[in-house]
Amino acid sequence: MLCPHGPPGRSGFSGHHGFPGLPGLPGEGAPASHPPGTPSAPGTGTAHRNPWPGNSSALLGLWPGNSSALLGLWPENPPASPSLLADGTAHDPYPLYRVLRERHPLVYDELFGAWLVSRYADVRAALADPRLVAMPPGRTLAHLEGGTHSAHRAVVSPAFRGAALAALTAGVARTAFVLARRLAARQEADLVTEFCQWLPTAAAVAALGLPYEDTARVHEWCRTGLDHLGGHHPEIDAFLRPYIARRRAHPGPDLLSALCTARAGGRPLSDEVVAGLAGSLLGAGGEATARGLASFLANLLDHPGQLAVVRVRPALAAGAWAESLRRDPPLHVVLRRALEPVGAIPVGATVACLVGSAGRDPARFADPDRYDAFRTDPGQLAHGSGRHFCPGALLARLTAEHGLRALLTVLPDLRWVPGFRPTSQGLISRSPRSLPVRLR
């Protein structure tokens, strides 16, 4: 999930080689706190029994048009449900996801402190429900210029078209080839620490026309409060303001200039909006995009036949990326807070949308555990669902497509180190921690 509209988790996706000064990405964070307004769970188990004895009629009207998936699922004495914090879940969450989808599609997890939603239709509905909102810190893009979602779309979406999109694409493509060429003389490399962790941030910095030497500093800001929604970070604001003033006076071919000259509703974007958009894009160059890129490369390298087809037909890379996000999203758990009661979910409660479970729901996808780069309908949950426009999803897609193209062009013999198979780790955020490859 690259556009969760909530705080990403942490799972030790760290370490670096070849680029001095690049900080490692953060480690696994603490579970969600017990939400205000959530009833205490009875008993001493890891999660309380389902609160609707006899039937699930309390769920009617939860999400109009989607609640049928939740009906008739609980017997008179339902068993205690498992917890996301059960032993072994971070190593392999898929058995738990299966149990949740089949027996507990909506249940309160006492240890994790949230209501769990696990089926594709219900996760998609929850992510789009205006009563369930993200919990980002400080200012976000949705709060800019009035704070309404319609204003948000009107300001953000047009700003990333035309010249701005061209500048962003050029910055990503140029950076991907620079990083790939730095590996060309090597025999082996770790794509996580030497490519995936660097490309998203460096690409955003390059596209905005900011100094390359500030890439490591921007990456550190991403770890300490800046996120893909433009969460307020005083240092990034102070960093961007002089560049915004210069671009207003003397626009150039970069993305920041395009934002400074863009208009919404017949007037230029304010400095606050430009800073928020630029900060959002820089935040999108952080952990989630790096993780998604690592899983994408792992899936294709693990399926050399599919990789060979994508190599000769580059237009298929977009579908291969979408399929990787379905099967192996970088964010498995996306948190929401209930602004008002939603069926049995009380106001103030935390809802955990299990994107990692939804993407492997057999009720939605045939053979859901298989990676198929040519799947015709891989879904859209990893890009968010509903009313949000996310610059992070755009940057992530461009990073994946141009990153893969650069690697295959510069390193045509790219393959696994003999004996290696990728394994993912993490509960909230999940991806391979290393991808050792032979380069020639």
Side-chain angles (χ1 to χ4, degrees):
M1 174 80 181
L2 289 170
C3 185
H5 305 285
R10 300 178 173 184
S11 58
F13 192 70
S14 61
H16 60 87
H17 298 281
F19 297 91
L22 175 65
L25 293 175
E28 188 85 326
S33 60
H34 194 284
T38 302
S40 299
T44 58
T46 59
H48 68 56
R49 293 176 182 270
N50 200 293
W52 303 287
N55 58 61
S56 60
S57 60
L59 294 176
L60 290 174
L62 184 64
W63 294 298
N66 293 279
S67 59
S68 60
L70 299 176
L71 301 182
L73 297 168
W74 294 281
E76 288 290 341
N77 295 297
S81 64
S83 171
L84 287 179
L85 299 184
D87 290 343
T89 301
H91 174 71
D92 182 7
Y94 299 105
L96 171 65
Y97 291 163
R98 190 177 306 114
V99 170
L100 289 172
R101 287 193 305 264
E102 293 175 356
R103 301 176 62 183
H104 309 279
L106 178 67
V107 68
Y108 183 72
D109 183 336
E110 182 180 9
L111 283 183
F112 193 75
W115 294 79
L116 308 183
V117 182
S118 53
R119 292 181 174 177
Y120 180 90
D122 301 322
V123 169
R124 184 172 178 83
L127 290 173
D129 195 317
R131 298 169 294 178
L132 300 175
V133 299
M135 301 178 291
R139 180 200 63 185
T140 71
L141 288 177
H143 298 147
L144 298 176
E145 297 211 343
T148 65
H149 295 296
S150 59
H152 178 210
R153 288 195 304 271
V155 170
V156 177
S157 300
F160 281 89
R161 299 174 185 165
L165 178 58
L168 178 59
T169 303
V172 173
R174 182 171 63 253
T175 304
F177 272 91
V178 167
L179 294 180
R181 290 187 184 110
R182 290 187 180 185
L183 301 176
R186 305 267 300 278
Q187 292 287 341
E188 295 183 359
D190 182 350
L191 291 182
V192 168
T193 58
E194 300 180 73
F195 191 80
C196 298
Q197 287 187 359
W198 264 98
L199 178 56
T201 301
V205 168
L208 289 165
L210 303 173
Y212 177 77
E213 55 269 22
D214 287 314
T215 302
R217 183 159 53 135
V218 170
H219 208 300
E220 181 64 24
W221 284 328
C222 293
R223 297 179 60 203
T224 57
L226 179 65
D227 62 21
H228 66 289
L229 285 179
H232 183 63
H233 195 297
E235 289 179 289
I236 196 70
D237 274 3
F239 171 70
L240 288 171
R241 293 289 177 164
Y243 291 102
I244 293 173
R246 292 173 204 164
R247 298 306 196 280
R248 292 217 188 269
H250 304 286
D254 55 81
L255 176 58
L256 189 59
S257 295
L259 296 176
C260 288
T261 56
R263 303 181 74 86
R267 57 192 178 91
L269 305 180
S270 68
D271 284 359
E272 182 187 13
V273 170
V274 171
L277 291 171
S280 168
L281 197 69
L282 291 171
E287 181 181 8
T289 302
R291 285 181 177 279
L293 180 59
S295 293
F296 177 53
L297 296 177
N299 277 322
L300 284 176
L301 286 168
D302 226 23
H303 296 81
Q306 297 184 41
L307 178 61
V309 175
V310 175
R311 184 193 299 272
V312 298
R313 298 178 61 188
L316 296 175
W321 166 246
E323 168 69 353
S324 185
L325 293 180
R326 175 202 68 81
R327 183 180 184 269
D328 298 291
L331 297 179
H332 272 224
V333 182
V334 177
L335 302 180
R336 290 288 191 263
R337 178 64 54 83
L339 290 180
E340 59 183 87
V342 181
I345 299 171
V347 63
T350 299
V351 178
C353 301
L354 304 185
V355 177
S357 170
R360 299 203 186 193
D361 187 347
R364 173 63 175 80
F365 302 105
D367 197 4
D369 294 330
R370 179 173 62 92
Y371 178 76
D372 179 1
F374 318 117
R375 191 182 294 269
T376 57
D377 183 16
Q380 301 177 351
L381 291 182
H383 290 292
S385 175
R387 60 203 180 279
H388 302 283
F389 170 86
C390 182
L394 176 59
L395 175 65
R397 179 178 61 80
L398 293 173
T399 297
E401 293 178 18
H402 290 279
L404 178 65
R405 184 175 304 174
L407 288 173
L408 295 182
T409 300
V410 177
L411 306 166
D413 297 323
L414 189 68
R415 63 198 185 279
W416 291 134
V417 165
F420 174 77
R421 289 297 305 274
T423 57
S424 296
Q425 300 181 46
L427 175 63
I428 308 297
S429 301
R430 187 172 180 84
S431 65
R433 291 190 175 183
S434 65
L435 297 176
V437 291
R438 286 275 176 88
L439 304 179
R440 49 183 175 151

